[in-house]
Amino acid sequence: MTTSSSTGLTAPGRATRRRLGRGADPLVGKCLIALGSAAALGSTFLSWTWTTAFPGDLTVTGYPGGNQLITLFLSILTLLALGPALLPGGVPGTRWIAPRGSVRLLRSLSLANAASTGYVVVAIAWELGGVANYVAGTWIAGASVLLPVLGAWLLPEDDHEPAPARPTPRWAQIVVVFVVVMLGLLVTDFGVTTGFSEEFIGFCLGAGFAGRGLAASGLFDRFSALTAANRVATGWAVFAAAVSFVFLQSSDAYTSVADNILIFATVALGLNIVVGLAGLLDLGYVAFLGVGAYTAALVSGTAASRYAHVVLPFWAQALIGVAVSVLAGLLIGAPTLRLRGDYLAIVTLGFGEIFRITMNNLDGQSGPQVTNGAEGEYGIPDLRLFGYDFGRPHTVLGHTLGRFGNYYLLLVLVIALVIFIFARVNDSRIGRAWAAIREDETAAEAMGVHGYRFKLLAFGLGAGLAGLAGTIQGHLTSTVTPDQYTFSSSAPPNSAFLLAAVVLGGMGTISGPLLGASLLFLIPDKLQFFHNKQLLLFGIALIVMMRLRPEGLVPDKRRRLEFHERETAAEEAYEELVVDELDRSDGLDELEAEARA
Amino acid sequence: MSVTVLLQLVENGLVLGAMYGLIAVGYTMVYGTIQLINFAHGEIFMLGGFGALTVYAWIPGVAHLPLFAALPLMLLGGVVVAVAAAVGAERLAYRPLRTAPRLAPLITAIGLSLALQQVVSLWYRLPGGGNAKAPVAFPSFGGKAFDLGGVLVQRADLFTVIAAAVCMAGLAWFVARTRSGRAMQATAQDPDTARLMGIDPDRMIVVAFAVGAALAAVAALTQGLRYGQISFDMGFVAGLKAFTAAVLGGIGNVRGAMLGGIVLGLAEELSSGILAHFRDTAQYGQAWADVWAFVLLILVLLLRPQGLLGERVADRA
Amino acid sequence: MTALLNDEALLSVEALLSVEALHVAYGRVEAVKGISMRVLPGQTVALLGANGAGKTTTLRTLSGLLRPTAGTIRFAGQSLERVPAHHIVRAGLAHCPEARRIFPRMTIEENLRLGAFIRGNEDLGPDLRQAYERFPILGERHDQMAGLLSGGEQQMLAIARALMCRPRLLMLDEPSMGLSPIMMQQILRTVAELKDAGTTILLVEQNAQAALALADYAYVLETGRIVVEGTGAELLADERVRVAYLGEG
């Protein structure tokens, strides 16, 4: 790596400021990082406090536990990331870690470790009442995570264009994809199974900063290039990882969390077809989940159902549930999709309310007895598919799957189906038609795209997928009530949270809503201490997010252009210019030639 | 069904509709100027109610005044709070997104709506230490209702209708007769050309938000007086209905908003009232009122998508 | 006053508007690439060129609707590059935009009153009377919606509206566009009358023949650059201009 040699000449302005404090030999910085990370690594084998009152039991000397695991992992990662920076040209075999240069990665990782570990150290004093609860290990950990931060900022910036990836045989690429996906599974598993808020916060701080670093170092880009080149293998790897999650669980405790995330994410993906791909704003989407859930519940043989004597097999319930949902979608969509987009928002919002009120009213008093009103359909029997009873534990491959484990596997299949449909449709003629409608419906119509038909298709498809998720959700929760399907409430899924999962995650993408749904479910679930401020924080998060990163955590490539980037300005201005000055065709060619130049 | 009962339903519908109309004006004015569904307008309405209640409950002596004397003070409090919230929201949340894709401000508005509800629910306090997690009592007129040949007109109803009429007249005068009103219309019709006339569009947008908020505060006061209570989440359904009214009347059209409100109010009261009156359909009455209101919306959109008074406008999305 | 000024006189008079090396870009697309021009008090200056040459972009930049990427604009001793559009009108620069852009859902009189928006609550009676004298049709229909007027009448309204702020410089963007030949003649006659009354005018026109006949000085734009400039008479006589813009040769 190159170092900016101090030539004694003072460059004016920014350059001077940048060099301040950078006079130190980069070797000092690297030593600080190495020493600090090693010390932090070592400290995780010590105890961090003498009392077991702090969650996660940090009193054990000899092996790490609780938050110490995060520190351990981040320290190892930092030491690894130091590899490319150590020898001139990097330690052989480590250069792949940072295609764009390792300094920003080191900064992010050391920050991740400092934030996550520092948070725990502070929390120990805060929750237990003072630094009297610190022991030697706490001091070592707290001090040693600060050194790499200092060290990383002493290193000169080395951001550069990545060298082209070396050609690797296909089997090696596939192996890499599988390994990375499995690593991702382990990280996810750690996050989902965190047992207390401190661990979860430490995890989020660490993962957030580390993720930023990996993005800055170009490693993510390189991995996405790999996945793009091996889409089928990636799909299978992710599927295998998702399935293996349940085999990592020793009990059903966190599988139920995972089940809820999966339902939420499935519906969010369905909504993403409607909002992200077709550009239709649906503010009452959760109602379709409700339609599916109620329909399946009514014909599942629950005693609360008016049709308690009707007990259909699940495949039939699912079919009917989807059919009724699609029907509801078409019923709402048909009249409104011909109109301006804003009207759809209000009509869907109204539909959400109508659904809730109707389910409430069909209780035998305000209407015929169908749904048992506010009490809802309770006692919905467990699913049974091909003789497999989802309510009973089963032993598969030597691992006992509990009730939630059974549902988990089914939900993984369903979300895989939804992802498959999403990807296939998006890449097809239909997806291109949706993109055209989203950008400019009038222009799309002029090109022969039948806007209304495609919008209705998106709306119906979205409704159907939500309905499918609903048919399972009813069995999973064993009770469906009208209040589960509102516009906003403190627990997902509801229409506002669904929309937020799509928008915060990244519209038009697959991983965006998955990430968004996971975060939006886990944060309120894990951080019980602000349980009554969830909706407030959620609202504020929406506002802040729209201001800072309207394209979401995982931006769609095309959409990144649609949002605040310079290219967009040029495109818009180009249109304006065309309207302003070139409404007759002669100047167009000229301008286009210019735009290309 | 007797004529008296029918007239009573009409009276209820008119009063309800007048309130919807007052809120709808805010939606329609903001939409007319910047094509934004200000989803948080329902919460501006709610804040107006709490502003008025704050004056009543917290300023010593106001609660001891006769209600008609306290009303102007409460109204002032409500208007100040609502306008401040709306203008603040415009400045901090919406203005930075003026050039963003249109989904962005809408989502901001949803976030704002949730946040404002929660702020009131979490931190609003009454002098006695009570909070606003549940509906809060609002002062109401004592005394008997006026009896017009069997049709009962509550004092709060009278206040509502008068307030709505005064507000609409004032608004009509403002829009058509004042320099600012004309400038606002100009901004709505053609923002660029309005700038060429020397009009600052940002200022006009603020005016649109402020006027809408003031009228919503009036509506909140009438709501509190009629039902004797207000709640932190009353903005959601009221806002939804008012937006429906704005669309019914033709969005962007101020007179349409009031007309839409009254049509919606009448439709809601008459449909549920008439259904409730007959034994066979009684159960489809009051509990279904909201459903009938939305069914009406969908019907109108089908038959007359531009609304009752709206002009056909191209999709600017 | 509007007689042709000779070169020495040109240099000695303080320009009302002077533009130096003006660049305007839409994103990465540069539409105006370094224009310099001057308008002296009392002059009528024409800006000619084909579609896409950057004429409208120049006017929109002068009136503040667009921001220049580089260059200076001085108007009556004031720098305008960073002044927002609604303040530029107050400096006395009126822009009568392309395609008229009247407010269709307001009456003619309301449109005119909006033209005088910057004058606050002054009595506009005399100005309205003057507008109705100049364009009697507007007076007859003063309380009708402006959207009901014909194209030519709308153009009259747009010009009258721009004059309501008593501008020191009137910028007209293609006032004859899309009008019938008779109406076009009438509008051009109006422009000539304004010029004779001493109004300083910056005129963008497709109809080069007519514009050059009116103009004291003219600039010809091509893809964002000035390619020819000179007095109206000079350009009318210029062989290149005749071939390229007047359809002769």
Side-chain angles (χ1 to χ4, degrees), chain A residues 105 118 447 507 573:
Chain A
L105 175 61
M447 305 290 286
M507 279 194 288

Side-chain angles (χ1 to χ4, degrees), chain A residues 35-243:
Chain A
L35 269 177
S37 303
L41 195 157
S43 79
T44 61
F45 291 87
L46 303 173
S47 81
W48 281 6
T49 179
W50 49 268
T51 159
T52 51
F54 192 81
D57 192 3
L58 305 177
T59 63
V60 186
T61 304
Y63 57 88
N67 283 69
Q68 291 175 333
L69 284 169
I70 304 168
T71 306
L72 176 73
F73 184 71
L74 287 172
S75 302
I76 295 175
L77 216 58
T78 316
L79 286 172
L80 264 178
L82 202 52
L86 271 188
L87 299 176
V91 175
T94 60
R95 264 165 299 185
W96 57 270
I97 295 175
R100 298 183 60 97
S102 57
V103 170
R104 287 210 273 177
L105 175 61
L106 282 169
R107 287 183 189 170
S108 295
L109 284 177
S110 51
L111 256 188
N113 207 358
S116 177
T117 311
Y119 159 75
V120 181
V121 170
V122 171
I124 290 173
W126 180 267
E127 288 173 30
L128 302 180
V131 291
N133 297 289
Y134 284 2
V135 292
T138 334
W139 292 108
I140 297 175
S144 56
V145 290
L146 294 178
L147 296 183
V149 179
L150 184 64
W153 257 265
L154 286 177
L155 298 178
E157 187 90 46
D158 69 340
D159 193 30
H160 56 79
E161 279 303 304
R166 266 177 305 146
T168 31
R170 174 132 302 215
W171 63 265
Q173 294 184 7
I174 292 174
V175 168
V176 170
V177 167
F178 263 86
V179 170
V180 173
V181 168
M182 285 302 160
L183 278 177
L185 164 70
L186 291 181
V187 174
T188 314
D189 175 52
F190 189 92
V192 172
T193 59
T194 46
F196 41 92
S197 341
E198 288 79 2
E199 202 179 3
F200 183 71
I201 293 176
F203 171 79
C204 284
L205 287 171
F209 281 113
R212 250 188 54 182
L214 292 174
S217 78
L219 200 59
F220 272 174
D221 285 346
R222 190 130 299 177
F223 182 64
S224 3
L226 265 188
T227 57
N230 302 283
R231 288 181 62 171
V232 177
T234 310
W236 282 111
V238 172
F239 182 72
V243 169

Side-chain angles (χ1 to χ4, degrees), chain A residues 281 335 339-340 342-343 346-347 349 354 357 361 365-368 488 503 507 532 535-536 538-539 546-547 563, chain B residues 31 92 96-97 101-103 106-108 111 114-115 118 122 240 243 251 283-284 287-288 290 294 301-302 305:
Chain A
L281 186 57
L339 309 171
R340 287 191 290 171
D342 302 310
Y343 289 174
I346 200 70
V347 169
L349 192 62
I354 289 182
I357 297 170
N361 286 348
Q365 318 231 312
S366 305
S488 70
V503 172
M507 279 194 288
N532 65 342
L535 269 177
L536 175 70
F538 170 66
M546 281 302 109
R547 182 79 182 270
F563 284 96
Chain B
Y31 191 92
L92 300 174
L97 300 175
R102 55 185 311 162
L103 211 50
L106 187 65
I107 287 170
T108 300
L114 292 171
Q118 292 304 307
L122 288 169
L240 188 52
F243 188 80
I251 192 135
Q283 53 186 2
Y284 296 104
W288 294 81
D290 290 354
F294 289 118
L301 287 181
L302 269 177

Side-chain angles (χ1 to χ4, degrees), chain C residues 151-169:
Chain C
E153 290 160 353
Q154 290 191 7
Q155 186 61 57
M156 291 177 189
L157 175 58
I159 294 175
R161 185 181 63 178
L163 288 171
M164 287 297 286
C165 67
R166 299 185 180 164
R168 301 175 66 177
L169 172 62

Side-chain angles (χ1 to χ4, degrees), chain C residues 149-238:
Chain C
L149 294 175
S150 76
E153 290 160 353
Q154 290 191 7
Q155 186 61 57
M156 291 177 189
L157 175 58
I159 294 175
R161 185 181 63 178
L163 288 171
M164 287 297 286
C165 67
R166 299 185 180 164
R168 301 175 66 177
L169 172 62
L170 175 65
M171 301 196 294
L172 296 171
D173 196 346
E174 306 222 10
S176 69
M177 188 173 81
L179 299 185
S180 67
I182 293 176
M183 203 39 108
M184 189 192 288
Q185 287 310 313
Q186 194 178 339
I187 292 290
L188 289 171
R189 224 174 13 249
T190 306
V191 178
E193 281 164 23
L194 289 172
K195 170 189 156 93
D196 291 339
T199 315
T200 313
I201 299 173
L202 179 57
L203 174 69
V204 161
E205 251 304 335
Q206 286 270 311
N207 185 342
Q209 186 95 53
L212 286 177
L214 274 169
D216 300 315
Y217 202 81
Y219 297 88
V220 178
L221 285 179
E222 216 173 274
T223 61
R225 290 195 180 82
I226 291 173
V227 285
V228 187
E229 64 177 282
T231 62
E234 277 168 14
L235 292 195
L236 268 177
D238 188 302

